[in-house]
mmCIF file of all heavy atoms in Angstrom:
data_model
loop_
_atom_site.group_PDB
_atom_site.id
_atom_site.type_symbol
_atom_site.label_atom_id
_atom_site.label_comp_id
_atom_site.label_asym_id
_atom_site.label_seq_id
_atom_site.Cartn_x
_atom_site.Cartn_y
_atom_site.Cartn_z
ATOM 1 N N CYS A 1 8.556 12.615 -19.554
ATOM 2 C CA CYS A 1 9.177 12.380 -20.833
ATOM 3 C C CYS A 1 9.711 13.674 -21.370
ATOM 4 O O CYS A 1 9.175 14.752 -21.066
ATOM 5 C CB CYS A 1 8.130 11.856 -21.859
ATOM 6 S SG CYS A 1 7.451 10.314 -21.389
ATOM 7 N N HIS A 2 10.817 13.585 -22.131
ATOM 8 C CA HIS A 2 11.377 14.825 -22.614
ATOM 9 C C HIS A 2 11.983 14.540 -24.079
ATOM 10 O O HIS A 2 12.681 13.539 -24.210
ATOM 11 C CB HIS A 2 12.597 15.380 -21.759
ATOM 12 C CG HIS A 2 12.903 16.826 -22.090
ATOM 13 N ND1 HIS A 2 13.641 17.111 -23.157
ATOM 14 C CD2 HIS A 2 12.715 17.932 -21.455
ATOM 15 C CE1 HIS A 2 13.800 18.434 -23.219
ATOM 16 N NE2 HIS A 2 13.278 18.981 -22.125
ATOM 17 N N PRO A 3 11.617 15.333 -24.996
ATOM 18 C CA PRO A 3 11.966 15.039 -26.387
ATOM 19 C C PRO A 3 13.478 15.108 -26.761
ATOM 20 O O PRO A 3 13.860 14.578 -27.705
ATOM 21 C CB PRO A 3 11.250 16.192 -27.214
ATOM 22 C CG PRO A 3 10.962 17.263 -26.278
ATOM 23 C CD PRO A 3 10.882 16.557 -24.961
ATOM 24 N N GLU A 4 14.269 15.650 -25.848
ATOM 25 C CA GLU A 4 15.715 15.618 -26.094
ATOM 26 C C GLU A 4 16.455 14.381 -25.684
ATOM 27 O O GLU A 4 17.638 14.269 -25.930
ATOM 28 C CB GLU A 4 16.402 16.884 -25.368
ATOM 29 C CG GLU A 4 15.958 18.169 -25.936
ATOM 30 C CD GLU A 4 16.566 19.347 -25.220
ATOM 31 O OE1 GLU A 4 17.454 19.131 -24.411
ATOM 32 O OE2 GLU A 4 16.251 20.503 -25.528
ATOM 33 N N PHE A 5 15.693 13.430 -25.124
ATOM 34 C CA PHE A 5 16.258 12.202 -24.782
ATOM 35 C C PHE A 5 15.722 11.060 -25.645
ATOM 36 O O PHE A 5 14.698 11.160 -26.282
ATOM 37 C CB PHE A 5 15.944 11.930 -23.293
ATOM 38 C CG PHE A 5 16.628 12.913 -22.348
ATOM 39 C CD1 PHE A 5 16.118 14.071 -22.003
ATOM 40 C CD2 PHE A 5 17.967 12.571 -21.838
ATOM 41 C CE1 PHE A 5 16.738 15.041 -21.211
ATOM 42 C CE2 PHE A 5 18.599 13.484 -21.055
ATOM 43 C CZ PHE A 5 17.995 14.716 -20.726
ATOM 44 N N GLU A 6 16.420 9.830 -25.582
ATOM 45 C CA GLU A 6 16.118 8.705 -26.368
ATOM 46 C C GLU A 6 14.778 8.190 -26.137
ATOM 47 O O GLU A 6 14.222 8.263 -25.011
ATOM 48 C CB GLU A 6 17.165 7.684 -26.211
ATOM 49 C CG GLU A 6 17.261 7.158 -24.819
ATOM 50 C CD GLU A 6 18.486 6.306 -24.574
ATOM 51 O OE1 GLU A 6 19.519 6.530 -25.128
ATOM 52 O OE2 GLU A 6 18.382 5.339 -23.734
ATOM 53 N N ASN A 7 14.203 7.533 -27.159
ATOM 54 C CA ASN A 7 12.961 6.841 -27.048
ATOM 55 C C ASN A 7 11.767 7.706 -26.580
ATOM 56 O O ASN A 7 10.758 7.285 -25.935
ATOM 57 C CB ASN A 7 12.995 5.655 -26.127
ATOM 58 C CG ASN A 7 14.146 4.598 -26.513
ATOM 59 O OD1 ASN A 7 14.166 4.316 -27.780
ATOM 60 N ND2 ASN A 7 14.878 4.173 -25.663
ATOM 61 N N TYR A 8 11.804 9.007 -26.935
ATOM 62 C CA TYR A 8 10.745 9.842 -26.442
ATOM 63 C C TYR A 8 9.365 9.422 -26.973
ATOM 64 O O TYR A 8 8.415 9.366 -26.141
ATOM 65 C CB TYR A 8 11.029 11.316 -27.044
ATOM 66 C CG TYR A 8 9.888 12.249 -26.766
ATOM 67 C CD1 TYR A 8 9.674 12.758 -25.404
ATOM 68 C CD2 TYR A 8 9.020 12.641 -27.744
ATOM 69 C CE1 TYR A 8 8.632 13.635 -25.150
ATOM 70 C CE2 TYR A 8 8.023 13.538 -27.483
ATOM 71 C CZ TYR A 8 7.781 13.945 -26.188
ATOM 72 O OH TYR A 8 6.739 14.827 -26.003
ATOM 73 N N ASP A 9 9.229 9.122 -28.248
ATOM 74 C CA ASP A 9 7.900 8.724 -28.756
ATOM 75 C C ASP A 9 7.331 7.536 -28.076
ATOM 76 O O ASP A 9 6.129 7.454 -27.734
ATOM 77 C CB ASP A 9 7.994 8.625 -30.300
ATOM 78 C CG ASP A 9 8.080 9.949 -31.038
ATOM 79 O OD1 ASP A 9 7.671 11.002 -30.456
ATOM 80 O OD2 ASP A 9 8.721 9.919 -32.118
ATOM 81 N N ALA A 10 8.187 6.577 -27.851
ATOM 82 C CA ALA A 10 7.759 5.358 -27.209
ATOM 83 C C ALA A 10 7.273 5.575 -25.806
ATOM 84 O O ALA A 10 6.202 5.084 -25.360
ATOM 85 C CB ALA A 10 8.961 4.293 -27.158
ATOM 86 N N PHE A 11 8.043 6.318 -24.996
ATOM 87 C CA PHE A 11 7.672 6.567 -23.651
ATOM 88 C C PHE A 11 6.430 7.494 -23.543
ATOM 89 O O PHE A 11 5.587 7.351 -22.731
ATOM 90 C CB PHE A 11 8.853 7.263 -22.919
ATOM 91 C CG PHE A 11 9.809 6.229 -22.261
ATOM 92 C CD1 PHE A 11 10.761 5.654 -23.089
ATOM 93 C CD2 PHE A 11 9.745 5.835 -21.006
ATOM 94 C CE1 PHE A 11 11.645 4.703 -22.580
ATOM 95 C CE2 PHE A 11 10.570 4.898 -20.433
ATOM 96 C CZ PHE A 11 11.556 4.327 -21.299
ATOM 97 N N ASN A 12 6.440 8.532 -24.427
ATOM 98 C CA ASN A 12 5.384 9.516 -24.437
ATOM 99 C C ASN A 12 4.041 8.930 -24.737
ATOM 100 O O ASN A 12 2.990 9.438 -24.422
ATOM 101 C CB ASN A 12 5.647 10.702 -25.280
ATOM 102 C CG ASN A 12 4.866 11.966 -24.893
ATOM 103 O OD1 ASN A 12 4.806 12.227 -23.731
ATOM 104 N ND2 ASN A 12 4.375 12.638 -25.842
ATOM 105 N N SER A 13 3.995 7.764 -25.494
ATOM 106 C CA SER A 13 2.753 7.098 -25.780
ATOM 107 C C SER A 13 2.343 6.082 -24.841
ATOM 108 O O SER A 13 1.238 5.486 -24.941
ATOM 109 C CB SER A 13 2.919 6.475 -27.184
ATOM 110 O OG SER A 13 3.858 5.405 -27.157
ATOM 111 N N MET A 14 3.069 5.882 -23.735
ATOM 112 C CA MET A 14 2.762 4.933 -22.740
ATOM 113 C C MET A 14 1.593 5.450 -21.824
ATOM 114 O O MET A 14 1.437 6.668 -21.740
ATOM 115 C CB MET A 14 3.928 4.591 -21.789
ATOM 116 C CG MET A 14 4.995 3.855 -22.548
ATOM 117 S SD MET A 14 6.462 3.496 -21.424
ATOM 118 C CE MET A 14 7.570 2.712 -22.523
ATOM 119 N N THR A 15 0.903 4.529 -21.211
ATOM 120 C CA THR A 15 -0.165 4.963 -20.213
ATOM 121 C C THR A 15 0.532 5.501 -18.949
ATOM 122 O O THR A 15 1.644 5.139 -18.733
ATOM 123 C CB THR A 15 -1.058 3.851 -19.871
ATOM 124 O OG1 THR A 15 -0.278 2.856 -19.053
ATOM 125 C CG2 THR A 15 -1.730 3.157 -21.046
ATOM 126 N N HIS A 16 -0.230 6.294 -18.211
ATOM 127 C CA HIS A 16 0.343 6.768 -16.965
ATOM 128 C C HIS A 16 0.681 5.580 -15.983
ATOM 129 O O HIS A 16 1.618 5.719 -15.213
ATOM 130 C CB HIS A 16 -0.572 7.772 -16.315
ATOM 131 C CG HIS A 16 -0.581 9.080 -17.015
ATOM 132 N ND1 HIS A 16 -1.607 9.563 -17.840
ATOM 133 C CD2 HIS A 16 0.264 10.200 -17.056
ATOM 134 C CE1 HIS A 16 -1.325 10.735 -18.288
ATOM 135 N NE2 HIS A 16 -0.228 11.138 -17.807
ATOM 136 N N GLU A 17 -0.129 4.561 -16.039
ATOM 137 C CA GLU A 17 0.156 3.428 -15.146
ATOM 138 C C GLU A 17 1.410 2.791 -15.516
ATOM 139 O O GLU A 17 2.306 2.427 -14.675
ATOM 140 C CB GLU A 17 -0.991 2.456 -15.226
ATOM 141 C CG GLU A 17 -0.840 1.356 -14.252
ATOM 142 C CD GLU A 17 -2.052 0.399 -14.225
ATOM 143 O OE1 GLU A 17 -3.089 0.808 -14.698
ATOM 144 O OE2 GLU A 17 -1.896 -0.659 -13.620
ATOM 145 N N THR A 18 1.789 2.643 -16.783
ATOM 146 C CA THR A 18 3.022 2.050 -17.207
ATOM 147 C C THR A 18 4.163 2.982 -16.792
ATOM 148 O O THR A 18 5.152 2.462 -16.300
ATOM 149 C CB THR A 18 3.078 1.837 -18.752
ATOM 150 O OG1 THR A 18 1.961 0.968 -19.066
ATOM 151 C CG2 THR A 18 4.401 1.261 -19.199
ATOM 152 N N LEU A 19 4.038 4.328 -16.992
ATOM 153 C CA LEU A 19 5.095 5.242 -16.556
ATOM 154 C C LEU A 19 5.257 5.194 -15.042
ATOM 155 O O LEU A 19 6.403 5.228 -14.563
ATOM 156 C CB LEU A 19 4.702 6.654 -17.034
ATOM 157 C CG LEU A 19 4.691 6.963 -18.538
ATOM 158 C CD1 LEU A 19 4.208 8.354 -18.748
ATOM 159 C CD2 LEU A 19 6.137 6.764 -19.171
ATOM 160 N N PHE A 20 4.205 5.063 -14.355
ATOM 161 C CA PHE A 20 4.311 4.876 -12.882
ATOM 162 C C PHE A 20 5.132 3.606 -12.467
ATOM 163 O O PHE A 20 6.015 3.795 -11.627
ATOM 164 C CB PHE A 20 2.881 4.784 -12.195
ATOM 165 C CG PHE A 20 2.912 4.378 -10.817
ATOM 166 C CD1 PHE A 20 3.440 5.068 -9.830
ATOM 167 C CD2 PHE A 20 2.354 3.099 -10.394
ATOM 168 C CE1 PHE A 20 3.471 4.768 -8.450
ATOM 169 C CE2 PHE A 20 2.454 2.679 -9.134
ATOM 170 C CZ PHE A 20 2.932 3.529 -8.124
ATOM 171 N N ASN A 21 4.870 2.598 -13.159
ATOM 172 C CA ASN A 21 5.599 1.316 -12.748
ATOM 173 C C ASN A 21 7.070 1.479 -13.108
ATOM 174 O O ASN A 21 8.021 1.108 -12.343
ATOM 175 C CB ASN A 21 5.044 0.166 -13.533
ATOM 176 C CG ASN A 21 3.696 -0.275 -12.987
ATOM 177 O OD1 ASN A 21 3.493 -0.156 -11.784
ATOM 178 N ND2 ASN A 21 2.815 -0.691 -13.865
ATOM 179 N N ILE A 22 7.446 2.173 -14.232
ATOM 180 C CA ILE A 22 8.831 2.392 -14.515
ATOM 181 C C ILE A 22 9.446 3.441 -13.587
ATOM 182 O O ILE A 22 10.596 3.192 -13.110
ATOM 183 C CB ILE A 22 8.943 2.933 -16.047
ATOM 184 C CG1 ILE A 22 8.483 1.919 -17.036
ATOM 185 C CG2 ILE A 22 10.335 3.503 -16.378
ATOM 186 C CD1 ILE A 22 8.314 2.434 -18.406
ATOM 187 N N ALA A 23 8.704 4.457 -13.255
ATOM 188 C CA ALA A 23 9.266 5.465 -12.269
ATOM 189 C C ALA A 23 9.479 4.860 -10.899
ATOM 190 O O ALA A 23 10.451 5.158 -10.245
ATOM 191 C CB ALA A 23 8.275 6.583 -12.216
ATOM 192 N N LEU A 24 8.484 3.975 -10.534
ATOM 193 C CA LEU A 24 8.677 3.280 -9.207
ATOM 194 C C LEU A 24 9.956 2.431 -9.182
ATOM 195 O O LEU A 24 10.658 2.459 -8.135
ATOM 196 C CB LEU A 24 7.502 2.395 -8.967
ATOM 197 C CG LEU A 24 7.085 2.086 -7.492
ATOM 198 C CD1 LEU A 24 6.843 3.291 -6.706
ATOM 199 C CD2 LEU A 24 5.849 1.146 -7.442
ATOM 200 N N LYS A 25 10.228 1.715 -10.274
ATOM 201 C CA LYS A 25 11.506 0.984 -10.354
ATOM 202 C C LYS A 25 12.678 1.835 -10.196
ATOM 203 O O LYS A 25 13.712 1.531 -9.575
ATOM 204 C CB LYS A 25 11.546 0.124 -11.554
ATOM 205 C CG LYS A 25 10.551 -1.040 -11.468
ATOM 206 C CD LYS A 25 10.596 -1.864 -12.757
ATOM 207 C CE LYS A 25 9.527 -2.889 -12.821
ATOM 208 N NZ LYS A 25 9.370 -3.538 -14.112
ATOM 209 N N LYS A 26 12.700 2.975 -10.915
ATOM 210 C CA LYS A 26 13.748 3.944 -10.875
ATOM 211 C C LYS A 26 13.982 4.538 -9.460
ATOM 212 O O LYS A 26 14.978 4.674 -9.048
ATOM 213 C CB LYS A 26 13.541 5.117 -11.928
ATOM 214 C CG LYS A 26 13.725 4.631 -13.330
ATOM 215 C CD LYS A 26 13.559 5.790 -14.274
ATOM 216 C CE LYS A 26 13.758 5.403 -15.747
ATOM 217 N NZ LYS A 26 15.034 5.928 -16.288
ATOM 218 N N LEU A 27 12.850 4.881 -8.839
ATOM 219 C CA LEU A 27 12.836 5.357 -7.491
ATOM 220 C C LEU A 27 13.497 4.355 -6.560
ATOM 221 O O LEU A 27 14.333 4.695 -5.732
ATOM 222 C CB LEU A 27 11.509 5.753 -7.044
ATOM 223 C CG LEU A 27 11.307 6.471 -5.745
ATOM 224 C CD1 LEU A 27 11.924 7.808 -5.757
ATOM 225 C CD2 LEU A 27 9.848 6.636 -5.448
ATOM 226 N N ALA A 28 13.060 3.073 -6.644
ATOM 227 C CA ALA A 28 13.536 2.045 -5.735
ATOM 228 C C ALA A 28 15.026 1.650 -6.054
ATOM 229 O O ALA A 28 15.656 1.103 -5.164
ATOM 230 C CB ALA A 28 12.620 0.841 -5.928
ATOM 231 N N SER A 29 15.556 1.992 -7.205
ATOM 232 C CA SER A 29 16.858 1.547 -7.547
ATOM 233 C C SER A 29 17.860 2.318 -6.661
ATOM 234 O O SER A 29 19.027 1.869 -6.571
ATOM 235 C CB SER A 29 17.222 1.896 -9.060
ATOM 236 O OG SER A 29 17.310 3.350 -9.263
ATOM 237 N N GLY A 30 17.554 3.445 -6.109
ATOM 238 C CA GLY A 30 18.496 4.197 -5.250
ATOM 239 C C GLY A 30 19.330 5.158 -5.999
ATOM 240 O O GLY A 30 20.059 6.015 -5.403
ATOM 241 N N VAL A 31 19.301 5.207 -7.304
ATOM 242 C CA VAL A 31 20.138 6.079 -8.132
ATOM 243 C C VAL A 31 19.879 7.548 -7.757
ATOM 244 O O VAL A 31 20.817 8.377 -7.731
ATOM 245 C CB VAL A 31 19.889 5.857 -9.612
ATOM 246 C CG1 VAL A 31 20.620 6.894 -10.503
ATOM 247 C CG2 VAL A 31 20.336 4.456 -9.960
ATOM 248 N N HIS A 32 18.628 7.878 -7.518
ATOM 249 C CA HIS A 32 18.352 9.359 -7.288
ATOM 250 C C HIS A 32 18.043 9.715 -5.790
ATOM 251 O O HIS A 32 17.576 10.809 -5.478
ATOM 252 C CB HIS A 32 16.967 9.679 -8.075
ATOM 253 C CG HIS A 32 17.133 9.338 -9.510
ATOM 254 N ND1 HIS A 32 18.060 10.029 -10.324
ATOM 255 C CD2 HIS A 32 16.460 8.448 -10.286
ATOM 256 C CE1 HIS A 32 17.961 9.577 -11.566
ATOM 257 N NE2 HIS A 32 17.066 8.571 -11.557
ATOM 258 N N THR A 33 18.388 8.744 -4.892
ATOM 259 C CA THR A 33 18.016 8.934 -3.454
ATOM 260 C C THR A 33 18.604 10.235 -2.905
ATOM 261 O O THR A 33 17.872 11.056 -2.269
ATOM 262 C CB THR A 33 18.520 7.758 -2.643
ATOM 263 O OG1 THR A 33 17.849 6.573 -3.140
ATOM 264 C CG2 THR A 33 18.259 7.933 -1.190
ATOM 265 N N GLU A 34 19.894 10.551 -3.112
ATOM 266 C CA GLU A 34 20.524 11.708 -2.548
ATOM 267 C C GLU A 34 19.928 12.952 -3.087
ATOM 268 O O GLU A 34 19.659 13.903 -2.358
ATOM 269 C CB GLU A 34 22.010 11.669 -2.798
ATOM 270 C CG GLU A 34 22.782 10.725 -1.919
ATOM 271 C CD GLU A 34 24.270 10.787 -2.127
ATOM 272 O OE1 GLU A 34 24.846 11.872 -2.332
ATOM 273 O OE2 GLU A 34 24.929 9.712 -2.128
ATOM 274 N N SER A 35 19.627 12.982 -4.363
ATOM 275 C CA SER A 35 19.004 14.220 -4.958
ATOM 276 C C SER A 35 17.664 14.395 -4.513
ATOM 277 O O SER A 35 17.268 15.583 -4.259
ATOM 278 C CB SER A 35 19.022 14.052 -6.528
ATOM 279 O OG SER A 35 20.355 13.911 -7.038
ATOM 280 N N ILE A 36 16.837 13.400 -4.306
ATOM 281 C CA ILE A 36 15.453 13.493 -3.794
ATOM 282 C C ILE A 36 15.488 13.967 -2.445
ATOM 283 O O ILE A 36 14.683 14.853 -2.160
ATOM 284 C CB ILE A 36 14.678 12.162 -4.034
ATOM 285 C CG1 ILE A 36 14.472 11.759 -5.445
ATOM 286 C CG2 ILE A 36 13.381 12.170 -3.221
ATOM 287 C CD1 ILE A 36 14.049 10.361 -5.774
ATOM 288 N N LEU A 37 16.369 13.422 -1.597
ATOM 289 C CA LEU A 37 16.353 13.818 -0.201
ATOM 290 C C LEU A 37 16.877 15.282 -0.054
ATOM 291 O O LEU A 37 16.317 16.048 0.708
ATOM 292 C CB LEU A 37 17.310 12.890 0.641
ATOM 293 C CG LEU A 37 16.726 11.490 0.797
ATOM 294 C CD1 LEU A 37 17.777 10.582 1.519
ATOM 295 C CD2 LEU A 37 15.472 11.424 1.564
ATOM 296 N N GLU A 38 17.851 15.670 -0.822
ATOM 297 C CA GLU A 38 18.310 17.037 -0.856
ATOM 298 C C GLU A 38 17.218 18.026 -1.189
ATOM 299 O O GLU A 38 16.974 19.115 -0.584
ATOM 300 C CB GLU A 38 19.514 17.252 -1.698
ATOM 301 C CG GLU A 38 20.100 18.620 -1.601
ATOM 302 C CD GLU A 38 21.459 18.800 -2.419
ATOM 303 O OE1 GLU A 38 21.931 17.725 -2.905
ATOM 304 O OE2 GLU A 38 21.853 19.871 -2.570
ATOM 305 N N ALA A 39 16.509 17.797 -2.333
ATOM 306 C CA ALA A 39 15.439 18.607 -2.808
ATOM 307 C C ALA A 39 14.344 18.671 -1.729
ATOM 308 O O ALA A 39 13.816 19.720 -1.449
ATOM 309 C CB ALA A 39 14.835 18.080 -4.161
ATOM 310 N N SER A 40 13.977 17.532 -1.148
ATOM 311 C CA SER A 40 12.879 17.412 -0.202
ATOM 312 C C SER A 40 13.175 18.254 1.056
ATOM 313 O O SER A 40 12.335 18.875 1.631
ATOM 314 C CB SER A 40 12.624 15.997 0.141
ATOM 315 O OG SER A 40 12.201 15.342 -0.982
#
């Protein structure tokens, strides 16, 4: 979570498990695949 982006308070108050489920969906979406592979 980062305060300069929308819905910060809502996301920052979520449990780690909820954040994990959201992050897993973002990861599976393929949007960040190239960036993740390049960094890795």
Side-chain angles (χ1 to χ4, degrees):
C1 298
H2 196 288
E4 292 181 8
F5 293 86
E6 60 190 36
N7 301 316
Y8 173 75
D9 290 331
F11 275 81
N12 203 45
S13 66
M14 292 178 182
T15 65
H16 285 105
E17 186 173 344
T18 300
L19 291 175
F20 167 67
N21 289 324
I22 293 168
L24 202 60
K25 287 178 186 173
K26 287 182 178 251
L27 188 64
S29 75
V31 172
H32 306 294
T33 299
E34 285 184 39
S35 299
I36 292 168
L37 291 175
E38 184 176 350
S40 299

